[in-house]
């Protein structure tokens, strides 16, 4: 069973077709990068997977569960299996770093404070930010905010992690650090990752496979190619752009 599958998915907004007949299967333990120009629906794909929006037609499955018909309570249970790093990190400015990470744990689990603190410390250590629990998000650099956002996504122990433009707005050094984290967490935790990006160096750094959403044929993931060799990926991208 694949952790994420979309079959025959249609999605429109105000009559504008975003996806039509979308077919996509994400293999367990892989990192799939989804690339394409702005405005073709890459972020919509993530929202479909976590149930923030529902398909007009077709099926979205997460860990074998069809999510569209679920009640909010049952959808909540599925979302525990999926972590998400938002493009702007989406931290609560009124909470400390530690409280940001603890917030979701208190929502999802009946854990005591000691266990929550231990989990927060563990996840911050994974992203190289040990001991910053008391700091305010406003005191952090852009790269640190992204890493805190990633630690928060990891805290509930998801099987799938979704990344929405994880390197956008970062300098090359911080972008490289985020890419290294994506790859190392995949290897350490065995998580399945979907990375939405237009940053081709990031694709080469993190992806096992690549799905291309084409502007010429909007509404479909046109093809999925292996990302182990730069030359192969470049040929894949150039071939789809010329089609």
């Amino acid at each position: 069973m694949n952790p994420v599958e979309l079959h025959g998915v249609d999605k429109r907004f105000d009559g504008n077709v975003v996806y039509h007949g979308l077919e996509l299967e994400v293999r367990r333990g892989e990192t799939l990068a989804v690339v394409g120009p702005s405005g073709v629906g890459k972020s919509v794909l993530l929202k479909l997977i976590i149930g923030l929006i529902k398909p007009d037609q077709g099926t979205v499955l997460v860990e074998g569960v069809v999510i569209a018909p679920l009640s909010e309570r049952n959808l909540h249970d599925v979302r525990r299996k999926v972590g998400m790093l938002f493009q702007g990190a989406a931290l609560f400015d009124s909470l400390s770093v530690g409280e940001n990470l603890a917030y979701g744990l208190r929502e999802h689990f009946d854990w005591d404070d000691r266990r929550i603190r231990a989990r927060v410390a563990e996840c911050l250590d994974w992203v190289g930010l040990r001991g910053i629990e008391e700091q305010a998000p406003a005191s952090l650099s852009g790269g640190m905010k992204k890493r805190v956002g990633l630690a928060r996504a990891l805290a509930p122990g998801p099987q799938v992690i979704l990344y929405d433009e994880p390197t956008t707005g970062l300098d090359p050094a911080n972008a490289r650090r985020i890419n290294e984290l994506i790859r190392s967490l995949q290897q350490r935790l065995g998580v399945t990752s979907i990375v939405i990006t237009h940053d081709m160096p990031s694709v080469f750094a993190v992806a096992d496979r690549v799905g291309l959403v084409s502007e010429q044929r909007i509404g479909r993931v046109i093809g999925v190619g292996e990302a182990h060799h730069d030359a192969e990926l470049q040929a894949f991208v150039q071939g789809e752009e010329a089609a």
Side-chain angles (χ1 to χ4, degrees), residues 8-27:
V9 168
D10 291 359
K11 188 61 192 176
R12 296 173 174 82
F13 294 103
D14 298 325
N16 296 315
V17 177
V18 180
Y19 287 112
H20 176 63
L22 172 63
E23 295 285 336
L24 182 65
E25 296 186 1
V26 186
R27 301 168 183 166

Side-chain angles (χ1 to χ4, degrees), residues 101-102 104-105 109 111 119-120 122-123 126 150-158:
L101 268 68
L105 296 176
F109 303 104
W111 290 359
R119 181 62 174 175
V120 167
E122 180 181 40
C123 292
W126 283 345
L150 179 52
R152 184 177 63 182
L154 291 167

Side-chain angles (χ1 to χ4, degrees), residues 62-114:
V62 176
E63 294 293 347
V65 177
V66 180
I67 64 171
L70 295 181
S71 66
E72 190 62 31
R73 179 177 180 179
N74 290 334
L75 188 57
H76 185 271
D77 292 337
V78 173
R79 286 174 178 162
R80 287 172 52 177
K81 302 176 182 179
V82 182
M84 184 162 180
L85 176 60
F86 296 91
Q87 185 171 335
L91 302 177
F92 298 112
D93 290 335
S94 59
L95 303 179
S96 69
V97 167
E99 289 167 340
N100 265 277
L101 268 68
Y103 184 87
L105 296 176
R106 292 194 173 98
E107 288 288 310
H108 291 304
F109 303 104
D110 185 22
W111 290 359
D112 61 32
D113 286 344
R114 181 177 180 180

Side-chain angles (χ1 to χ4, degrees), residues 5-213:
E5 297 186 9
L6 296 92
H7 298 296
V9 168
D10 291 359
K11 188 61 192 176
R12 296 173 174 82
F13 294 103
D14 298 325
N16 296 315
V17 177
V18 180
Y19 287 112
H20 176 63
L22 172 63
E23 295 285 336
L24 182 65
E25 296 186 1
V26 186
R27 301 168 183 166
R28 188 167 303 280
E30 77 169 344
T31 296
L32 174 72
V34 179
V35 301
S38 298
V40 296
K42 300 189 301 296
S43 294
V44 171
L45 176 64
L46 300 188
K47 293 176 182 178
L48 285 165
I49 292 169
I50 59 175
L52 288 178
I53 57 177
K54 295 185 178 183
D56 300 324
Q57 186 171 315
T59 305
V60 180
L61 299 98
V62 176
E63 294 293 347
V65 177
V66 180
I67 64 171
L70 295 181
S71 66
E72 190 62 31
R73 179 177 180 179
N74 290 334
L75 188 57
H76 185 271
D77 292 337
V78 173
R79 286 174 178 162
R80 287 172 52 177
K81 302 176 182 179
V82 182
M84 184 162 180
L85 176 60
F86 296 91
Q87 185 171 335
L91 302 177
F92 298 112
D93 290 335
S94 59
L95 303 179
S96 69
V97 167
E99 289 167 340
N100 265 277
L101 268 68
Y103 184 87
L105 296 176
R106 292 194 173 98
E107 288 288 310
H108 291 304
F109 303 104
D110 185 22
W111 290 359
D112 61 32
D113 286 344
R114 181 177 180 180
R115 186 174 182 183
I116 288 174
R117 287 196 301 271
R119 181 62 174 175
V120 167
E122 180 181 40
C123 292
L124 287 173
D125 189 40
W126 283 345
V127 300
L129 293 174
R130 181 185 299 179
I132 70 162
E133 285 91 336
E134 300 305 317
Q135 291 193 36
S139 70
L140 306 179
S141 67
M144 291 176 73
K145 288 179 180 178
K146 291 268 190 171
R147 289 153 68 192
V148 170
L150 179 52
R152 184 177 63 182
L154 291 167
Q159 283 86 56
V160 178
I161 302 179
L162 310 178
Y163 298 86
D164 190 4
E165 300 284 3
T167 60
T168 294
L170 299 182
D171 60 69
N174 275 310
R176 185 168 55 252
R177 182 177 287 120
I178 292 295
N179 290 334
E180 290 169 352
L181 278 172
I182 293 171
R183 181 55 86 181
S184 68
L185 290 169
Q186 178 202 25
Q187 294 168 350
R188 178 188 298 178
L189 304 177
V191 294
T192 302
S193 301
I194 302 174
V195 181
I196 301 298
T197 186
H198 63 272
D199 179 3
M200 293 309 296
S202 291
V203 172
F204 295 134
V206 306
D208 300 302
R209 294 192 302 153
V210 182
L212 176 67
V213 183

